mmCIF file of all heavy atoms in Angstrom:
data_model
loop_
_atom_site.group_PDB
_atom_site.id
_atom_site.type_symbol
_atom_site.label_atom_id
_atom_site.label_comp_id
_atom_site.label_asym_id
_atom_site.label_seq_id
_atom_site.Cartn_x
_atom_site.Cartn_y
_atom_site.Cartn_z
ATOM 1 N N MET A 1398 1.926 13.734 0.712
ATOM 2 C CA MET A 1398 3.058 12.976 0.249
ATOM 3 C C MET A 1398 3.761 13.722 -0.857
ATOM 4 O O MET A 1398 4.891 13.276 -1.334
ATOM 5 C CB MET A 1398 2.677 11.568 -0.292
ATOM 6 C CG MET A 1398 2.321 10.590 0.837
ATOM 7 S SD MET A 1398 3.720 10.290 2.016
ATOM 8 C CE MET A 1398 4.757 9.362 0.899
ATOM 9 N N GLY A 1399 3.092 14.791 -1.350
ATOM 10 C CA GLY A 1399 3.664 15.551 -2.575
ATOM 11 C C GLY A 1399 5.203 15.806 -2.464
ATOM 12 O O GLY A 1399 5.906 15.510 -3.401
ATOM 13 N N PRO A 1400 5.688 16.397 -1.344
ATOM 14 C CA PRO A 1400 7.039 16.714 -1.332
ATOM 15 C C PRO A 1400 8.039 15.483 -1.201
ATOM 16 O O PRO A 1400 9.205 15.588 -1.471
ATOM 17 C CB PRO A 1400 7.129 17.455 0.036
ATOM 18 C CG PRO A 1400 5.816 17.951 0.387
ATOM 19 C CD PRO A 1400 4.877 16.960 -0.257
ATOM 20 N N ASN A 1401 7.359 14.331 -0.944
ATOM 21 C CA ASN A 1401 8.115 13.106 -0.837
ATOM 22 C C ASN A 1401 7.873 12.088 -1.942
ATOM 23 O O ASN A 1401 8.247 10.960 -1.801
ATOM 24 C CB ASN A 1401 7.763 12.438 0.562
ATOM 25 C CG ASN A 1401 8.130 13.379 1.650
ATOM 26 O OD1 ASN A 1401 9.205 14.016 1.851
ATOM 27 N ND2 ASN A 1401 7.105 13.677 2.526
ATOM 28 N N VAL A 1402 7.262 12.516 -3.045
ATOM 29 C CA VAL A 1402 6.874 11.490 -4.047
ATOM 30 C C VAL A 1402 7.979 10.873 -4.693
ATOM 31 O O VAL A 1402 8.014 9.703 -4.948
ATOM 32 C CB VAL A 1402 5.866 12.206 -5.028
ATOM 33 C CG1 VAL A 1402 6.615 13.076 -6.060
ATOM 34 C CG2 VAL A 1402 5.110 11.102 -5.795
ATOM 35 N N ASN A 1403 9.137 11.614 -4.769
ATOM 36 C CA ASN A 1403 10.296 10.876 -5.373
ATOM 37 C C ASN A 1403 10.970 9.853 -4.429
ATOM 38 O O ASN A 1403 11.334 8.780 -4.879
ATOM 39 C CB ASN A 1403 11.333 11.994 -5.694
ATOM 40 C CG ASN A 1403 11.011 12.735 -6.908
ATOM 41 O OD1 ASN A 1403 10.348 12.304 -7.766
ATOM 42 N ND2 ASN A 1403 11.479 14.032 -7.037
ATOM 43 N N GLU A 1404 10.862 10.221 -3.115
ATOM 44 C CA GLU A 1404 11.377 9.125 -2.137
ATOM 45 C C GLU A 1404 10.450 7.983 -2.176
ATOM 46 O O GLU A 1404 10.914 6.799 -2.096
ATOM 47 C CB GLU A 1404 11.322 9.649 -0.778
ATOM 48 C CG GLU A 1404 12.452 10.648 -0.429
ATOM 49 C CD GLU A 1404 12.237 11.218 0.935
ATOM 50 O OE1 GLU A 1404 11.587 12.293 1.111
ATOM 51 O OE2 GLU A 1404 12.890 10.739 1.888
ATOM 52 N N LEU A 1405 9.126 8.170 -2.314
ATOM 53 C CA LEU A 1405 8.097 7.108 -2.391
ATOM 54 C C LEU A 1405 8.379 6.224 -3.708
ATOM 55 O O LEU A 1405 8.476 4.993 -3.585
ATOM 56 C CB LEU A 1405 6.709 7.697 -2.522
ATOM 57 C CG LEU A 1405 5.587 6.717 -2.643
ATOM 58 C CD1 LEU A 1405 5.500 5.772 -1.484
ATOM 59 C CD2 LEU A 1405 4.221 7.474 -2.940
ATOM 60 N N ARG A 1406 8.585 6.872 -4.765
ATOM 61 C CA ARG A 1406 8.915 6.154 -6.065
ATOM 62 C C ARG A 1406 10.165 5.278 -5.857
ATOM 63 O O ARG A 1406 10.215 4.122 -6.255
ATOM 64 C CB ARG A 1406 9.181 7.083 -7.162
ATOM 65 C CG ARG A 1406 7.869 7.787 -7.656
ATOM 66 C CD ARG A 1406 8.160 8.770 -8.839
ATOM 67 N NE ARG A 1406 7.014 9.555 -9.067
ATOM 68 C CZ ARG A 1406 7.004 10.809 -9.547
ATOM 69 N NH1 ARG A 1406 8.248 11.397 -9.703
ATOM 70 N NH2 ARG A 1406 5.990 11.498 -9.764
ATOM 71 N N GLU A 1407 11.208 5.874 -5.270
ATOM 72 C CA GLU A 1407 12.482 5.130 -5.109
ATOM 73 C C GLU A 1407 12.280 3.921 -4.134
ATOM 74 O O GLU A 1407 12.797 2.845 -4.393
ATOM 75 C CB GLU A 1407 13.531 5.993 -4.534
ATOM 76 C CG GLU A 1407 14.125 7.069 -5.527
ATOM 77 C CD GLU A 1407 15.001 8.097 -4.951
ATOM 78 O OE1 GLU A 1407 15.537 7.890 -3.815
ATOM 79 O OE2 GLU A 1407 15.171 9.129 -5.627
ATOM 80 N N ALA A 1408 11.564 4.128 -3.075
ATOM 81 C CA ALA A 1408 11.355 3.086 -2.089
ATOM 82 C C ALA A 1408 10.523 1.989 -2.741
ATOM 83 O O ALA A 1408 10.854 0.826 -2.547
ATOM 84 C CB ALA A 1408 10.633 3.582 -0.847
ATOM 85 N N MET A 1409 9.555 2.304 -3.595
ATOM 86 C CA MET A 1409 8.745 1.353 -4.215
ATOM 87 C C MET A 1409 9.500 0.550 -5.216
ATOM 88 O O MET A 1409 9.424 -0.687 -5.388
ATOM 89 C CB MET A 1409 7.491 1.896 -4.912
ATOM 90 C CG MET A 1409 6.392 2.225 -4.007
ATOM 91 S SD MET A 1409 5.751 0.757 -3.143
ATOM 92 C CE MET A 1409 5.251 -0.241 -4.495
#
Side-chain angles (χ1 to χ4, degrees):
M1398 289 296 291
N1401 303 307
V1402 74
N1403 287 331
E1404 287 177 272
L1405 177 64
R1406 289 178 188 147
E1407 289 173 15
M1409 280 301 299

